[in-house]
């Protein structure tokens, strides 16, 4: 039979430190979004994502008690693999969303401005009478 091992779940002081850090790491992004400081959107997104990553580490260390000593380091290795997969999924998702946004067809109002800028004429769009699919005139 194997002997049971005892795992430390941290002291109340460590848990409170983790709780305080997680509250601070939540309030700062909330203030950035609600306060609308004078900085670029990319800067705001970078700060919020960075603080989110730090908050994940705080939760792993202070609440899930992740360290290199537990279970011979296998817990840390499994967590690192999960983090690598998470980064790949998140980066791929951001890449796909960015490319979709860049390659979307302009909306009708934007199309008129685009055509005017290129020196062409935009066809007037009557959105109320627009039909989906074929019409009787074209034989579709």
């Amino acid at each position: 039979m194997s002997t049971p091992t005892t795992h430390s779940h941290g002291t109340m002081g460590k848990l409170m430190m983790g709780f305080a850090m997680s509250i601070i790491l939540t309030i700062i992004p909330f203030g950035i979004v609600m306060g609308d400081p004078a900085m670029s959107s990319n800067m705001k997104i970078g700060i919020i994502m960075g603080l989110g990553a730090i908050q994940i580490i705080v939760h792993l260390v202070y609440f899930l008690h992740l360290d290199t000593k537990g279970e011979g380091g296998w817990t840390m290795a499994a967590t690192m693999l999960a983090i690598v997969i998470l980064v790949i999924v998140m980066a791929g998702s951001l890449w796909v969303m960015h490319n979709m946004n860049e390659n979307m067809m302009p909306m009708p109002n934007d199309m008129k401005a685009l055509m005017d800028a290129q020196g062409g004429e935009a066809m007037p769009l009557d959105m109320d009478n627009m039909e989906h699919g074929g019409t009787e005139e074209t034989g579709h």
Side-chain angles (χ1 to χ4, degrees), residues 11-31:
T11 63
M12 184 59 90
K14 279 191 165 189
L15 290 173
M16 286 292 112
M17 181 185 299
F19 179 70
M21 288 170 57
S22 65
I23 293 294
I24 291 168
L25 291 169
T26 301
I27 290 173
I28 293 171
F30 182 78

Side-chain angles (χ1 to χ4, degrees), residues 68-81:
T68 57
K69 295 174 246 164
E71 298 181 20
W74 283 107
T75 306
M76 179 65 83
T79 302
M80 296 311 284
L81 175 64

Side-chain angles (χ1 to χ4, degrees), residues 49-98:
M49 289 184 71
L51 291 174
I54 293 170
Q55 188 167 33
I56 289 171
I57 294 169
V58 167
H59 283 250
L60 288 173
V61 171
Y62 286 95
F63 301 129
L64 297 178
H65 312 292
L66 181 67
D67 58 11
T68 57
K69 295 174 246 164
E71 298 181 20
W74 283 107
T75 306
M76 179 65 83
T79 302
M80 296 311 284
L81 175 64
I83 289 171
V84 167
I85 292 170
L86 180 66
V87 166
I88 291 170
V89 169
M90 287 177 60
S93 298
L94 289 172
W95 181 35
V96 166
M97 288 187 287
H98 172 74

